[in-house]
């Protein structure tokens, strides 16, 4: 199987590239600024804002499946419009598409969200991700939209780096006790995406970890794993801050989990300190 990973030089993308190559798939990947380090992969520069660039890369690779793990933050042209351009190119070439989305599409008003729940974002980033979901499924009805949560693993995620900086006193801020998500390990998420790419799934799937944790609880687990001083982690309430965004968003991934061999572990399991 030939697989094209859009955003392959990022945190999730790099793990996905590694697993796809190890699984024996013919793998190509794209980058926005510089290619990744996996030599067995064909790297292509790609600007998701440019329809011509998107069509050219897809035509050159001619993949059976495209997995979009790109991240453009709140940049509407990249995060909202880019995936739709990719979906149009995939539909034109006859490629399957897996588009990775986020729990940021939800407001937290109902706390628990399964695949049937409609997006109701409260941030520009969430709105861009929700728009991408809608556009992707309109132009490529057989695509997969895979929503996930906080991605953790190997000490390289933004969340793990933030915990280290807070413990060292080189970063200001706090770990909120009322900001709750379902974090997932990057290796589990990548394995689940490779599994979805290898099958014939379509529609919306949730790929969150099986345990809800506050940002502070998650930070404590990271600190204990990495032998940091937990007492140095500052706490606070997101509700008391000026930061926009949902408070309690828990992805219910049970329906998708029943279709997968890959198990999406919870934070207490994948952050247990090693001896």
């Amino acid at each position: 199987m030939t697989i094209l990973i859009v955003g392959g030089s990022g945190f999730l993308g790099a793990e996905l590239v590694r697993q796809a190559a190890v699984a024996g798939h013919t793998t190509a990947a794209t980058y926005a600024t510089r290619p990744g380090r996996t030599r067995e992969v064909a790297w292509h520069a790609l600007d998701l804002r440019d329809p011509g660039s998107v069509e050219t890369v897809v035509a050159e690779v001619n993949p059976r499946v495209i997995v979009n793990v790109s991240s453009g933050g709140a940049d509407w042209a990249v995060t909202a419009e880019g995936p739709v351009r990719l979906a149009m190119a995939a539909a034109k070439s006859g490629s399957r598409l897996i588009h990775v989305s986020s729990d940021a599409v939800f407001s937290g008003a109902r706390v628990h969200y399964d695949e049937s729940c409609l997006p109701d974002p409260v941030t520009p980033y969430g709105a861009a991700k929700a728009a991408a979901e809608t556009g992707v499924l309109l132009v490529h009805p057989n695509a997969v939209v895979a929503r996930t949560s906080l991605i953790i693993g190997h000490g390289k995620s933004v969340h793990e780096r933030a915990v280290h900086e807070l413990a060292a006193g080189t970063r200001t801020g706090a770990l909120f006790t009322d900001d709750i998500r379902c974090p997932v390990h990057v290796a589990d998420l990548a394995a689940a995406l490779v599994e979805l790419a290898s099958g014939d799934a379509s529609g919306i799937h949730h790929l969150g970890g099986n345990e809800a944790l506050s940002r502070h609880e998650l930070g404590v687990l990271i600190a204990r794993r990495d032998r940091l001083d937990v007492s140095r982690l500052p706490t606070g309430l997101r509700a008391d801050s000026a930061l926009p965004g949902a408070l309690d968003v828990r992805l219910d991934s049970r329906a998708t989990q029943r279709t997968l061999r890959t198990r999406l572990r919870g934070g207490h399991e994948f952050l247990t300190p090693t001896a």
Side-chain angles (χ1 to χ4, degrees):
M1 177 177 74
T2 300
I3 182 170
L4 171 62
I5 298 168
V6 176
S9 59
F11 175 53
L12 171 58
E15 177 64 18
L16 185 56
V17 164
R18 186 191 70 79
Q19 291 198 26
V22 167
H25 300 303
T26 302
T27 306
T30 75
Y31 63 94
T33 55
R34 60 181 181 273
R37 298 178 179 178
T38 306
R39 295 180 179 178
E40 300 86 353
V41 170
W43 290 96
H44 300 261
L46 176 64
D47 184 351
L48 281 173
R49 298 168 296 183
D50 179 5
S53 176
V54 172
E55 289 194 2
T56 297
V57 170
V58 171
E60 286 180 359
V61 176
N62 190 27
R64 180 189 171 203
V65 60
I66 302 169
V67 184
N68 178 31
V69 296
S70 62
S71 176
D75 185 331
W76 190 267
V78 176
T79 301
E81 298 173 0
V84 180
R85 296 186 186 98
L86 192 59
M88 293 172 67
K92 181 179 178 180
S93 69
S95 303
R96 293 183 61 237
L97 175 65
I98 298 174
H99 169 68
V100 176
S101 189
S102 166
D103 57 10
V105 302
F106 297 123
S107 70
R110 61 178 294 160
V111 178
H112 299 276
Y113 292 88
D114 64 19
E115 288 88 345
S116 69
C117 294
L118 296 177
D120 59 342
V122 293
T123 64
Y125 172 68
K129 295 297 281 188
E133 289 186 6
T134 300
V136 163
L137 292 174
L138 277 174
V139 302
H140 198 325
N142 292 323
V144 169
V145 168
R147 296 182 184 130
T148 191
S149 191
L150 304 181
I151 307 173
I152 309 296
H154 311 313
K156 298 178 180 179
S157 71
V158 295
H159 316 290
E160 289 161 287
R161 291 199 301 270
V163 169
H164 277 252
E165 291 165 4
L166 287 168
T170 59
R171 180 188 182 110
T172 60
L175 295 174
F176 298 128
T177 58
D178 60 344
D179 186 333
I180 299 171
R181 299 294 187 272
C182 293
V184 63
H185 195 280
V186 65
D188 296 349
L189 179 56
L193 291 171
V194 170
E195 190 174 341
L196 287 171
S198 302
D200 58 0
S202 62
I204 296 173
H205 296 263
H206 282 183
L207 298 175
N210 64 20
E211 180 183 19
L213 294 169
S214 72
R215 299 264 183 171
H216 179 255
E217 289 172 322
L218 178 62
V220 168
L221 290 175
I222 291 169
R224 288 175 176 165
R225 180 199 64 185
D226 296 343
R227 310 298 198 272
L228 304 177
D229 185 352
V230 172
S231 68
R232 293 182 59 84
L233 298 179
T235 64
L237 294 174
R238 185 169 189 143
D240 292 340
S241 77
L243 291 175
L247 293 180
D248 194 342
V249 177
R250 310 184 190 200
L251 288 185
D252 182 345
S253 303
R254 290 175 295 179
T256 296
Q257 180 66 92
R258 286 193 290 269
T259 70
L260 296 174
R261 297 185 305 276
T262 302
R263 195 164 69 86
L264 302 169
R265 297 168 293 167
H268 272 92
E269 184 174 356
F270 65 70
L271 287 169
T272 298
T274 56

